[in-house]
Amino acid sequence: MQLAREAHEAGLRSAWFGQTFAYDSPALAAIVGREVPGLHVGTAAIPVFGRHPLLVSSQAQTAQAATGGRYHLGLALGTKHLTETGFGIPYERPITRLREFLTALRQLLETGSADFHGELLTATTPLPTTVPGAEPPVPLLVAAMAPQALRASGELADGILPLLAGPRALGEHIVPAVTAAAEAAGRLAPRIVAFVPGVVTADIEAVRETATEKLAFYEQFPSYQRVIGLSGGTRAADLAVIGDEETVATEVRRYREAGATEVVFTATDLGNEEDRRRTWKLLGELANG
């Protein structure tokens, strides 16, 4: 709560919460959004394996009502290792599952009911599912970067949440693909909420070294390996924006020029507390400039 208030006071527009095996992201977002009026809150992102559209709809609508319409729901495919190790569920046909999940969930969020019978999922509503005050309909976003996931997201979601996708990958591959899919489906232009690890700091070398260590986790996954390569990098840390205020502001503009409708900085704690505050101050100025 202290950090959320600090973010809002710095002029930041939104705060996003990941979903692993610890806190419940929609619940935390609901609490933060309720306590910090004016701050948009989002989940980035709930894996579709191990969840059901009916339950996620309930969580999302509750958060939307609690925050007065400032909640944004993000979904993800997750990873084979975490899915099979954590849930004991085979990580099979992920794109089919994503499509079915999005189809059923959109019915629930937009109409309050569903009658969906897919190959992998069934979602029907023998009882009411609408939450009073959950308006407007919760925005539905997907952590998509690969071609099939981008196509499904363009057709069935409101936007995407790419991470470690630099301006080159966004402008040349990701934005064109998801936009074309949305246009073909008769949908509005998708939101492109780019998640960018970055820090304003004077100790560039030390923070870069920390970033190399902390972000190496992503390098084991083919989807991130691909998008890092498309961005012109070899390590995940190559996509971290690290430098003074001018350097970081320039990179934010590059993301916007590449098609990002929103830029969300993550891993702003790679440096020290002074670095984090400098980073948030700059981002607040850019958001309100």
Side-chain angles (χ1 to χ4, degrees):
M1 292 309 309
Q2 179 182 342
L3 288 171
R5 292 190 178 98
E6 183 180 336
H8 185 50
E9 290 168 2
L12 300 180
R13 303 286 182 82
S14 64
W16 296 75
F17 305 95
Q19 180 65 65
T20 54
F21 295 114
Y23 61 73
D24 181 77
S25 181
L28 181 58
I31 294 168
V32 170
R34 183 75 171 180
E35 293 296 318
V36 188
L39 187 69
H40 284 253
V41 290
T43 292
I46 296 176
V48 295
F49 284 89
R51 272 79 176 182
H52 190 278
L54 280 166
L55 300 180
V56 172
S57 171
S58 296
Q59 290 180 295
Q61 290 190 73
T62 301
Q64 184 74 320
T67 60
R70 288 177 282 114
Y71 177 69
H72 307 256
L73 172 62
L75 299 175
L77 288 173
T79 69
K80 178 180 176 67
H81 172 70
L82 293 179
T83 298
E84 296 188 348
T85 302
F87 293 111
I89 300 173
Y91 190 80
E92 297 173 350
R93 303 179 67 189
I95 298 301
T96 298
R97 181 172 293 273
L98 176 64
R99 283 186 168 277
E100 293 190 358
F101 205 104
L102 288 171
T103 300
L105 185 56
R106 179 163 292 285
Q107 290 180 16
L108 291 163
L109 294 177
E110 292 186 347
T111 70
S113 64
D115 186 16
F116 178 80
H117 302 267
E119 297 179 61
L120 303 177
L121 290 173
T122 294
T124 62
T125 48
L127 296 172
T129 63
T130 301
V131 176
E135 298 173 351
V138 178
L140 186 52
L141 309 163
V142 181
M145 294 183 292
Q148 291 187 69
L150 288 170
R151 191 175 306 117
S153 301
E155 294 172 4
L156 299 168
D158 299 307
I160 58 171
L161 305 164
L163 169 65
L164 295 176
R168 183 192 300 179
L170 284 177
E172 296 179 5
H173 302 277
I174 292 174
V175 175
V178 71
T179 301
E183 290 178 351
R187 298 187 57 79
L188 297 175
R191 289 170 57 187
I192 313 294
V193 186
F195 280 70
V196 183
V199 182
V200 175
T201 182
D203 198 352
I204 297 174
E205 184 176 342
V207 174
R208 179 71 64 184
E209 184 177 339
T210 301
T212 300
E213 176 187 346
K214 298 291 187 181
L215 300 177
F217 166 80
Y218 295 100
E219 296 166 7
Q220 62 186 301
F221 304 113
S223 59
Y224 284 109
Q225 292 172 1
R226 175 181 177 275
V227 78
I228 290 168
L230 292 175
S231 301
T234 55
R235 301 292 305 272
D238 295 336
L239 278 301
V241 177
I242 300 170
D244 60 15
E245 281 82 356
E246 182 178 355
T247 298
V248 173
T250 297
E251 287 302 302
V252 170
R253 285 192 291 271
R254 289 185 65 223
Y255 275 90
R256 296 302 297 264
E257 290 167 359
T261 58
E262 298 144 75
V263 179
V264 177
F265 265 48
T266 183
T268 59
D269 59 350
L270 288 171
N272 56 34
E273 273 294 283
E274 180 184 353
D275 292 340
R276 181 186 63 77
R277 291 191 176 95
R278 282 180 67 185
T279 306
W280 287 20
K281 181 177 183 292
L282 172 66
L283 296 176
E285 292 170 352
L286 295 175
N288 296 282

